[in-house]
C-alpha cells in the first residue's frame, strides 16, 4: 500500500463524493415530514367544500395567477400545456383540473401542500422552479387547502401532461436536487413583529402567492433569484422585458392600486408580461389587499441611482425628428401625453429606468395595456419594427429618455439589435 498512494487519493475522492451526495439528499429533505396521505383512494367520496371555502380558493387562484400559466391559449382553463421558456429549455405547465388520470383527481390536500411548500410532486419527484415554489413555500396551509378545494371543484379535463424539453443535465433529478440544495429552502410564513396587520398582509401576498420576486429580482447564471427580498428588478429570462424595482412604490399608493386594478394611471400604463398579470390577476384583487401590498413595498429600499450616458448630438437630432414624425401626435410635443388615452413620457418612471429594454420593446412591438373592468377600452400603440431601423429605434428611444427632464442613459444600436433578435416568435 505504501507504493500506491493513488489509492488513498481515490478513497478520499470517493468519500467526498458520497458526503456531497448525502448532503444534497439531506438538504432536499430538510423540514419535510412524511405526509399522512398523498394518494386519494379510487372512487373515494369527498365531502363537498363550503361555498365560502371555494370563494376563498378562487380568490387565491387569482392572486397567484394560476390560470395564466396553467392554461394554453385557446385551451380549457387550468388544463395545462402552456410552455414556460427557461434558459435551460422548455417546461410545460401541468393539468390542474381534477381529472383522475391526467390531473389532480387522485391528489390529496397533503400532496398539494407538499408541492407548494416543498416543491415535490405527489409521486416524490422534485419540481422545477418554473413553478414558483421558492415563493409559494410561504403560503399558509389553510390557504393551500382552500386553493386545492377550488381546483377540485373545477370540471375535470382529460389533458395528458407534456414532457418537459430541457437540455442535459438540467433534465435530470440529480441536477435539480443540487440546484435545490444550493438555492431552495422551505420557509414557513410568520408575521413580522412590530409591523401592522396591513403591512404583514402585503408582505405575505408579495412574497408568497403573488410571487413578485420571480420577475422583479435578478437571477444568476443558474436561474436562482438574487436578493429576492429586495425586489430590485431584473430581466425576465427569454422574454426580454425588464421588470423594474418595486421598492419605495414611487407612483404613490393610490396610483399603485389604480395601476394594478386598471392597468393605467394618469402617468403610466402596463405592457408586456405585466399586462397579462393585471388582466388575469391583480384587477381581481380586493382594494385593501392592493393597499397592503403598496404599504409593504413602500418600506423596501429604492434602487440606487446610476450615472446616465448621453446620446451623441447627431443621434439626438435624428431622435427628435423621428419623435416629431411618429410619436408627438399621441404623446405630445413635450411628452405630456393625453389624459385618459396616452401616458406622458416626461417624468415617466418606465421611460427613466436605467435599463432601456422596455422602451425599445415598446417602439419595436407596440404597447397594449390590458382591457380591465376599470378601463375596458385602453388605447394601444402600434409597432414600428417594420418601419424603423435599429439605428433609428436607438435614436428615438434615447431622445425620449433624455428629453423634458428625463435623465436615463442613451440606448445604443447594438442594444436594439439584441432586443430585436431575442424577441419570441409571435410576440
Amino acid at each position: 500500500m505504501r507504493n500506491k498512494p493513488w489509492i488513498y487519493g481515490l478513497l478520499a475522492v470517493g468519500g467526498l463524493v458520497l458526503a456531497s451526495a448525502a448532503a444534497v439528499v439531506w438538504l432536499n429533505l430538510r423540514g419535510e415530514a412524511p405526509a399522512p396521505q398523498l394518494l386519494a383512494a379510487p372512487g373515494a367520496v369527498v365531502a363537498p367544500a363550503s361555498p365560502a371555502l371555494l370563494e376563498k380558493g378562487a380568490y387565491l387562484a387569482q392572486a397567484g395567477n394560476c390560470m395564466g400559466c396553467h392554461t394554453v391559449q385557446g385551451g380549457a382553463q387550468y388544463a395545462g400545456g402552456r410552455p414556460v421558456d427557461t434558459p435551460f429549455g422548455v417546461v410545460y405547465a401541468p393539468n390542474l383540473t381534477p381529472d383522475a388520470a391526467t390531473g389532480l383527481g387522485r391528489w390529496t390536500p397533503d400532496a398539494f401542500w407538499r408541492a407548494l411548500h416543498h416543491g415535490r410532486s405527489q409521486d416524490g419527484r422534485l419540481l422545477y422552479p418554473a413553478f414558483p415554489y421558492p415563493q409559494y413555500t410561504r403560503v399558509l396551509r389553510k390557504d393551500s387547502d382552500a386553493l386545492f378545494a377550488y381546483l377540485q371543484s373545477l370540471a375535470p379535463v382529460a389533458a395528458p401532461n407534456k414532457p418537459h424539453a430541457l437540455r442535459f443535465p438540467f433534465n435530470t433529478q440529480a441536477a435539480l436536487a443540487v440546484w435545490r440544495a444550493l438555492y431552495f429552502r422551505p420557509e414557513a410564513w410568520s408575521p413580522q413583529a412590530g409591523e401592522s396587520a396591513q403591512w404583514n398582509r402585503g408582505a405575505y401576498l408579495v412574497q408568497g402567492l403573488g410571487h413578485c420576486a420571480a420577475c422583479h429580482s435578478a437571477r444568476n447564471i443558474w436561474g436562482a433569484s438574487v436578493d429576492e427580498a429586495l425586489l430590485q428588478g431584473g430581466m425576465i429570462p427569454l422574454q426580454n422585458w425588464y421588470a423594474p424595482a418595486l421598492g419605495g412604490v414611487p407612483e404613490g399608493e393610490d396610483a399603485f392600486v389604480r395601476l394594478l386594478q386598471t392597468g393605467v394611471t394618469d402617468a403610466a400604463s402596463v405592457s408586456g408580461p405585466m399586462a397579462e398579470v393585471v388582466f388575469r390577476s391583480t384587477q381581481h384583487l380586493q382594494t385593501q389587499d392592493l393597499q397592503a401590498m403598496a404599504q409593504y413595498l413602500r418600506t423596501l429600499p429604492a434602487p440606487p441611482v446610476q450615472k446616465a450616458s448621453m446620446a451623441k448630438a447627431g443621434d439626438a437630432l435624428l431622435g427628435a425628428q423621428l419623435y416629431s414624425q411618429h410619436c408627438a401626435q399621441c404623446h405630445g410635443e413635450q411628452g405630456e401625453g393625453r389624459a385618459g388615452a396616452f401616458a406622458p413620457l416626461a417624468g415617466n418612471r418606465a421611460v427613466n429606468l436605467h435599463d432601456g429594454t422596455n422602451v425599445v420593446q415598446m417602439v419595436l412591438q407596440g404597447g397594449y395595456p390590458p382591457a380591465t373592468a376599470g378601463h375596458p377600452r385602453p388605447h394601444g400603440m402600434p409597432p414600428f419594427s417594420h418601419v424603423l431601423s435599429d439605428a433609428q429605434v436607438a435614436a428615438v428611444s434615447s431622445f425620449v429618455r433624455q428629453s423634458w427632464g428625463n435623465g436615463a442613459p442613451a440606448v445604443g444600436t447594438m442594444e436594439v439589435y439584441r432586443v430585436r433578435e431575442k424577441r419570441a416568435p409571435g410576440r
Side-chain angles (χ1 to χ4, degrees):
M1 294 290 288
R2 284 181 302 175
N3 298 325
K4 297 180 179 180
W6 59 269
I7 293 179
Y8 294 107
L10 186 62
L11 290 173
V13 171
L16 181 61
V17 170
L18 289 175
S20 299
V24 168
V25 171
W26 179 81
L27 289 170
N28 274 276
L29 292 174
R30 59 184 167 183
E32 186 174 339
Q37 186 180 8
L38 297 173
L39 184 65
V45 178
V46 180
S50 69
L53 186 64
L54 294 180
E55 182 180 358
K56 178 181 179 180
Y59 180 78
L60 294 171
Q62 290 177 324
N65 193 21
C66 303
M67 189 170 68
C69 283
H70 291 271
T71 303
V72 70
Q73 187 173 5
Q77 294 181 359
Y78 293 100
R82 180 169 179 173
V84 180
D85 293 321
T86 79
F88 315 105
V90 181
V91 174
Y92 289 94
N95 184 352
L96 296 186
T97 74
D99 181 70
T102 64
L104 303 183
R106 297 290 307 280
W107 284 50
T108 65
D110 289 329
F112 189 74
W113 161 252
R114 187 170 74 160
L116 263 62
H117 191 64
H118 293 287
R120 190 182 297 274
S121 187
Q122 179 196 49
D123 60 6
R125 287 179 302 106
L126 303 177
L127 298 173
Y128 286 96
F131 170 62
Y133 61 82
Q135 288 80 46
Y136 287 173
T137 185
R138 302 181 183 95
V139 173
L140 296 170
R141 176 61 192 258
K142 63 180 181 180
D143 286 345
S144 171
D145 288 347
L147 181 55
F148 181 70
Y150 168 70
L151 294 174
Q152 291 295 97
S153 74
L154 301 174
V157 178
N161 294 315
K162 294 183 178 181
H164 304 317
L166 296 166
R167 299 188 303 278
F168 180 83
F170 310 111
N171 59 348
T172 67
Q173 286 281 289
L176 181 54
V178 172
W179 185 93
R180 287 164 51 98
L182 292 171
Y183 301 118
F184 171 65
R185 182 174 183 176
E187 184 178 335
W189 167 261
S190 59
Q192 185 166 321
E195 298 290 352
S196 68
Q198 186 184 39
W199 185 96
N200 275 296
R201 174 64 175 174
Y204 174 65
L205 290 170
V206 168
Q207 295 179 18
L209 268 177
H211 62 283
C212 302
C215 290
H216 291 272
S217 293
R219 292 180 180 269
N220 62 22
I221 60 172
W222 303 114
S225 296
V226 178
D227 293 330
E228 174 181 320
L230 299 180
L231 296 171
Q232 290 285 288
M235 190 67 67
I236 303 176
L238 297 187
Q239 295 193 42
N240 215 31
W241 283 85
Y242 185 82
L246 298 182
V249 189
E251 296 87 353
E253 183 175 308
D254 291 341
F256 175 85
V257 171
R258 184 181 169 196
L259 187 68
L260 294 190
Q261 283 181 331
T262 68
V264 297
T265 67
D266 292 338
S269 63
V270 297
S271 286
M274 194 61 198
E276 181 176 357
V277 172
V278 171
F279 177 72
R280 293 189 179 276
S281 177
T282 60
Q283 71 159 318
H284 304 290
L285 298 188
Q286 298 169 0
T287 299
Q288 57 264 38
D289 275 345
L290 295 175
Q291 290 172 335
M293 293 167 66
Q295 184 178 119
Y296 167 68
L297 293 173
R298 192 169 55 198
T299 63
L300 298 183
V305 177
Q306 301 186 39
K307 186 177 180 180
S309 59
M310 299 302 293
K312 297 177 182 178
D315 292 338
L317 179 60
L318 174 61
Q321 293 171 343
L322 291 168
Y323 181 85
S324 179
Q325 180 181 355
H326 296 290
C327 314
Q329 182 177 359
C330 294
H331 291 287
E333 292 291 344
Q334 299 301 315
E336 70 274 16
R338 190 187 307 170
F342 304 105
L345 301 179
N348 188 302
R349 184 193 179 211
V351 170
N352 280 284
L353 291 174
H354 187 78
D355 190 300
T357 299
N358 292 357
V359 173
V360 174
Q361 285 277 35
M362 293 286 287
V363 176
L364 288 175
Q365 65 179 359
Y368 304 94
T372 60
H375 194 71
R377 293 185 177 181
H379 290 75
M381 171 179 163
F384 289 89
S385 59
H386 60 297
V387 176
L388 303 179
S389 68
D390 289 352
Q392 290 173 319
V393 172
V396 73
S397 298
S398 297
F399 173 77
V400 167
R401 285 163 59 80
Q402 298 188 337
S403 298
W404 321 301
N406 294 339
V411 173
T413 302
M414 186 55 67
E415 294 174 66
V416 178
Y417 170 78
R418 293 193 185 108
V419 173
R420 194 191 290 268
E421 289 301 303
K422 289 181 180 179
R423 282 194 303 146
R427 290 184 182 273

